[in-house]
Amino acid sequence: MTVKVSARTVAGATVVALEGEINSTTSGGLQSQLLPLIGQGAVVLIDLTGISYISSAGLRTLLIVHRHAQQLAAEITLVGLSEEVSFVMSATGFLDFFKIAEDLAAELERAG
């Protein structure tokens, strides 16, 4: 299985929609697709609505994305976390690293 990644620019923000499972098989490819989308001072919304599962390897990938964004003074917001993904991220303390939003449209309005 792979993670489907689609990116678009909306109101000055980069919206990256992910679909599938983020696990040890898919996390490396996902990381290589996400990092180039984060530019200096960018606003990036990562839409996780289509993500049904995230493993420890997926959490590591998100941490690498977070650190890369910090180096570039970019803002990362995770949008649309499922109950399971939210639980895993909360239990491991990963929610503290990211800004979290429930609704993509509302977050785009705020960013724009």
Side-chain angles (χ1 to χ4, degrees):
M1 177 174 233
T2 62
V3 176
K4 182 180 175 190
V5 178
S6 59
R8 66 187 197 278
T9 302
V10 180
T14 301
V15 178
V16 183
L18 306 180
E19 192 175 322
E21 294 183 355
I22 307 174
N23 54 41
S24 60
T25 304
T26 62
S27 62
L30 177 61
Q31 179 181 320
S32 67
Q33 291 180 69
L34 287 177
L35 292 180
L37 298 173
I38 302 168
Q40 185 72 36
V43 174
V44 180
L45 307 176
I46 301 177
D47 184 357
L48 298 174
T49 305
I51 295 297
S52 57
Y53 172 81
I54 189 166
S55 72
S56 59
L59 292 174
R60 181 180 180 280
T61 295
L62 289 180
L63 182 60
I64 290 168
V65 166
H66 165 72
R67 289 181 177 160
H68 181 72
Q70 279 187 314
Q71 292 173 346
L72 297 174
E75 177 185 315
I76 302 285
T77 301
L78 303 181
V79 181
L81 278 67
S82 70
E83 191 174 312
E84 180 179 338
V85 171
S86 181
F87 174 79
V88 169
M89 291 186 74
S90 176
T92 57
F94 275 72
L95 284 182
D96 297 338
F97 295 123
F98 296 95
K99 181 175 179 201
I100 306 296
E102 291 185 29
D103 181 70
L104 182 61
E107 194 58 25
L108 280 170
E109 188 174 308
R110 185 204 65 80

